Amino acid sequence: MNEQEFLEYVQSGGQVETTDWMPDDYRAKLIKFIEMHGNSELMGVLPEREWILRAPTLQRKLALTAKVQDEVGHSQLIYRVVEDLGKPRERCLDDLISGKAKFHNVFHYPTRTWGDVGVIAWLVDAAAIISQKALLKCSYAPYARIMKKICWEESFHILHGRDVILTLMNGTGDQRELVQESLNRWWGPLMQFHGNPIAKEEDPMYVWRIKSQGNEEARQQFLDGYVPQIWELGLTVPDPKLRKNDEGIWEYSEPDWDELRHVVTGHGPKTEERLDLRRTARENSAWVRKAVLAEAA
Amino acid sequence: MNEEVQRTLLEIADDELILGWRDSEWTGVAPLLEEDVAFSSIAQNEIGHARALYELVARAQGTTADALAFDRSPDEYRCAPLVELRLMDWAETIARHYLYEEADAKRLEQLKQLDDPEIAGLAAKIDREEAYHRIHAQMWFDRLQDEPRFIEALEKLRPQAETLLDSTKRGEHTPELTDLWEEMTMVRRSQPVGTTW
């Protein structure tokens, strides 16, 4: 099989296994894409973990710990897929903390209130599951397979997030305000989440069928699924232009693509602090990994 | 349920709550991803045990598990100093884990012998989960037993572990408990008592 035949194969729905031949460019794109996913799961832990310690009931604390634990578990699974493609986990982690590798825009922002805990679990995870469901058909079969488990767990996170939000919206005025204020801050990053609306035929990740839908398609799906629910709860979306037109397409103010570029290249409000935390944690525990590896050898 | 039994259950529940809280400080930053997942599980188990024990006491006292867990002042907690310490060093965390599980096993054996079938049943249920914690603690003990920093941590913490089994030595708290309590209750305290979360 040559590169052109491979391309035709994946574009007609064919899937590839680890030991199958694949073009170097495809392998490189896969590693880049899947590694960023693994990094995002791992960095996504940090905005939420601080709130495990502040969860206001035993049930919430249990649910949030379980959620964050799931994310760590996902990163573990995902890095294993990257490892099989030729990049070991330790190198992924080194590239992450050195700032060389990227992670999703939403994990560069601060979590200021308990309202953020609900908005992240409900809406950020909702946006993420839309991207992840589109990976169930990924041309790289091992990645598509683990995505089943991941999507299944993510759907629980959304339920947990929705329950946090519903409880707050049925609570005191302060609690409702907490949600609205949080939604106001997160809306911009949420609209940027699925990326700029380049035509999918020009998106190399689509061309190789690593992902199966375009950016705008994913964003429309998010808006269609969640804006009505947000409105139904009595919340206001901070975009006066947001409406569904007669053709059923959501119209909205242009997301701030400069902000997205700035943030994902490592200049988000919390990027440095979070990478620092990972770096310190990794340095302080290097001796543990050394002890474990010595035992395994 | 007499007051002495209530106090014993509260001591254990407070230990489990505070230790579970401390364990969950490792969620997301443990030395290995596998250990991150494992320690988060242990944290959830401990919090789950605390909740079940609080529920028994809450019923006798006409309150709720959450009120017992969050709405008391720091000096009303009955936890032992060992679980209060902020130990963000893996050797110390594992040393505490090992010492705690050792003492907890003895304590659960005693509870399982009580005449009250509800308490004895709960203790047996908790013990079935703690059995896995003990295996985990033993695995790390075996792995680290020759590491000087682990030996040092065990020596440092062992005297504290003794208070776990001696009620008369409880009631004195470390300053770390106050800091923990401030953080643990900050969201809950931001609204009037009785607010639903």
Side-chain angles (χ1 to χ4, degrees), chain B residues 54-111:
Chain B
Y54 283 138
E55 274 165 1
L56 284 186
V57 178
R59 212 168 58 208
Q61 297 186 354
T63 178
T64 64
D66 279 328
L68 286 172
F70 295 99
D71 298 343
R72 286 176 295 159
S73 61
D75 58 344
E76 290 174 283
Y77 285 76
R78 297 283 304 163
C79 49
L82 179 72
V83 297
E84 299 169 4
L85 303 172
R86 184 163 196 273
L87 305 176
M88 291 308 279
D89 170 77
W90 193 247
E92 291 185 340
T93 287
I94 294 297
R96 168 166 65 192
H97 181 38
Y98 182 79
L99 294 168
Y100 182 85
E101 295 302 340
E102 200 177 48
D104 196 37
K106 289 182 194 152
R107 186 165 70 179
L108 285 170
E109 264 328 298
Q110 289 165 6
L111 274 195

Side-chain angles (χ1 to χ4, degrees), chain B residues 150-186:
Chain B
F150 180 65
I151 297 166
E152 200 180 309
L154 272 178
E155 277 169 14
K156 179 179 135 191
L157 295 172
R158 198 178 288 281
Q160 307 248 32
E162 283 157 17
T163 56
L164 283 169
L165 297 173
D166 185 352
S167 278
T168 60
K169 288 189 179 152
R170 286 176 187 255
E172 294 286 317
H173 293 297
T174 61
E176 277 143 301
L177 180 69
T178 314
D179 295 341
L180 181 156
W181 182 88
E182 292 283 343
E183 186 161 19
M184 181 170 77
T185 59
M186 65 184 281

